[in-house]
Amino acid sequence: MIKRFHETGLDEKFISNKKVYDGRLLKVEVDTVLLPNDTETTREFIRHPGAVAIVPVQDDGRIVLVKQYRYPMQTVMWEIPAGKLDHGNENPDACAVRELSEETGYTAKSWQRLISIATTPAFTDEVIYLYKASGLEKHGQHTDEDEFIGVKAFTVEEIKKMITEGELFDAKTLCALFACDLIK
């Protein structure tokens, strides 16, 4: 979980909120706040329900990655499987099990929660809970109707080369691989 800290000389005080956009995934809001020097300003930010991301490690040590087209980046990207928490405070552990199965077709016998990350705290409240899954068993991939996902397992050396060559640059994936101590 993410700890919250406060400091009198740095904290901003909430004055008011305006909801600007309420989409399927994201909600955009603008808050008016009072700065520590008593100046009013606005903070634009995106509300996000949170997400999970999983490093699936096969018995031979290979890591399962998924690839999909990421529209904002205008490219196909290699990533670890991940997905958003359902609105209404879905348990991250349950979400991780669901997302691994949906995106890759694998189930796992062993789960380890690694760390939680704030993806881009300057403009969103999104937190991603990172996991490592092992003892994998292959079943059938069952993605959402708007998801088109390729699945492939890579050795650690192949992944290191992908990182070095700029083929793997997704932040949650890099954080999770480092948290697993798989990439040094």
Side-chain angles (χ1 to χ4, degrees), residues 1 49-54 83-86 88-100 111-113 115-116 127-131:
M1 289 306 201
V52 299
I54 308 104
K84 73 175 182 63
L85 299 171
D86 287 338
N89 298 325
E90 179 182 19
N91 178 292
D93 296 348
C95 183
V97 170
R98 176 176 54 79
E99 287 295 337
L100 178 65
W111 288 88
Q112 177 188 359
R113 189 183 276 190
I115 59 174
S116 301
V127 172
I128 300 181
Y129 303 90
L130 304 178
Y131 293 83

Side-chain angles (χ1 to χ4, degrees), residues 63-129:
I63 299 164
V64 177
L65 297 180
V66 296
K67 68 177 171 180
Q68 59 186 317
Y69 188 78
R70 292 301 194 178
Y71 185 83
M73 297 299 294
Q74 295 290 297
T75 189
V76 171
M77 292 178 63
W78 284 107
E79 308 171 26
I80 56 175
K84 73 175 182 63
L85 299 171
D86 287 338
H87 287 280
N89 298 325
E90 179 182 19
N91 178 292
D93 296 348
C95 183
V97 170
R98 176 176 54 79
E99 287 295 337
L100 178 65
S101 176
E102 286 178 6
E103 292 198 355
T104 68
Y106 283 99
T107 58
K109 292 179 184 171
S110 179
W111 288 88
Q112 177 188 359
R113 189 183 276 190
L114 300 169
I115 59 174
S116 301
I117 59 172
T119 59
T120 44
F123 64 85
T124 182
D125 63 354
E126 179 186 29
V127 172
I128 300 181
Y129 303 90

Side-chain angles (χ1 to χ4, degrees), residues 2-161:
I2 301 291
K3 290 185 180 183
R4 304 203 188 284
F5 300 93
H6 297 280
E7 189 172 319
T8 303
L10 299 176
D11 281 1
E12 299 174 3
K13 295 180 182 130
F14 172 82
I15 297 173
S16 65
N17 172 271
K18 179 181 176 187
K19 295 184 181 357
V20 178
Y21 176 77
D22 188 5
R24 184 175 60 137
L25 171 64
L26 307 173
K27 295 163 185 349
V28 180
E29 299 182 13
V30 178
D31 280 3
T32 301
V33 299
L34 186 64
L35 299 174
N37 66 358
D38 291 326
T39 303
E40 278 190 26
T41 193
T42 57
R43 297 293 187 220
E44 302 168 354
F45 61 99
I46 298 168
R47 292 247 182 241
H48 188 283
V52 299
I54 308 104
V55 178
V57 182
Q58 295 181 328
D59 291 342
D60 65 3
R62 291 183 304 147
I63 299 164
V64 177
L65 297 180
V66 296
K67 68 177 171 180
Q68 59 186 317
Y69 188 78
R70 292 301 194 178
Y71 185 83
M73 297 299 294
Q74 295 290 297
T75 189
V76 171
M77 292 178 63
W78 284 107
E79 308 171 26
I80 56 175
K84 73 175 182 63
L85 299 171
D86 287 338
H87 287 280
N89 298 325
E90 179 182 19
N91 178 292
D93 296 348
C95 183
V97 170
R98 176 176 54 79
E99 287 295 337
L100 178 65
S101 176
E102 286 178 6
E103 292 198 355
T104 68
Y106 283 99
T107 58
K109 292 179 184 171
S110 179
W111 288 88
Q112 177 188 359
R113 189 183 276 190
L114 300 169
I115 59 174
S116 301
I117 59 172
T119 59
T120 44
F123 64 85
T124 182
D125 63 354
E126 179 186 29
V127 172
I128 300 181
Y129 303 90
L130 304 178
Y131 293 83
K132 179 181 177 184
S134 54
L136 302 181
E137 291 183 12
K138 184 72 170 162
H139 300 282
Q141 184 186 38
H142 49 105
T143 59
D144 294 336
E145 66 182 34
D146 63 347
E147 288 182 311
F148 301 90
I149 298 174
V151 180
K152 185 176 177 183
F154 295 89
T155 66
V156 170
E157 289 308 312
E158 288 171 324
I159 289 176
K160 286 180 182 180
K161 183 177 179 189

